[in-house]
Amino acid sequence: ALEVEHLLRERLGVRTRLTRREDTFVPLAERTKLANDSDAAVFVSLHANASPSTRISGFETYYLDNSKDAASKKLAERENASLRFEGGGE
């Protein structure tokens, strides 16, 4: 995240704001509030997924276009389901 921030600032002149600069947990609701309070045009969330298989590698890219289609609704439901791990209700 720090390297991405550096590249965005240096190469594109983009104003950036990170939710944290060290390895600490920040609940999704707090991250979202930070973006909304900053009047952010783009919200980027970096994740490090894990797998017991050493053969699996790569990355995932998700985006939400706020449309009414079924795929966007399904993605939003899956993302919001993670709140249960943050004590945000079940």
Side-chain angles (χ1 to χ4, degrees):
L2 296 173
E3 183 64 25
V4 171
E5 178 189 40
H6 174 76
L7 291 171
L8 288 170
R9 286 182 175 196
E10 294 298 315
R11 295 188 181 178
L12 300 176
V14 173
R15 285 186 307 126
T16 61
R17 186 159 183 196
L18 300 180
T19 57
R20 58 187 170 269
R21 293 190 174 276
E22 59 279 329
D23 189 16
T24 57
F25 179 74
V26 178
L28 178 60
E30 191 174 325
R31 289 178 269 152
T32 304
K33 182 177 181 340
L34 175 71
N36 290 332
D37 290 350
S38 299
D39 196 28
V42 176
F43 181 83
V44 177
S45 182
L46 303 176
H47 298 267
N49 295 337
S51 172
S53 173
T54 57
R55 295 179 11 190
I56 297 173
S57 66
F59 59 89
E60 299 171 310
T61 303
Y62 299 95
Y63 67 93
L64 183 62
D65 64 6
N66 292 325
S67 69
K68 300 291 184 193
D69 68 30
S72 291
K73 287 181 182 180
K74 186 173 182 176
L75 175 59
E77 288 170 5
R78 187 170 64 225
E79 288 295 314
N80 291 333
S82 69
L83 291 174
R84 67 188 166 140
F85 297 111
E86 300 177 12
E90 297 182 41

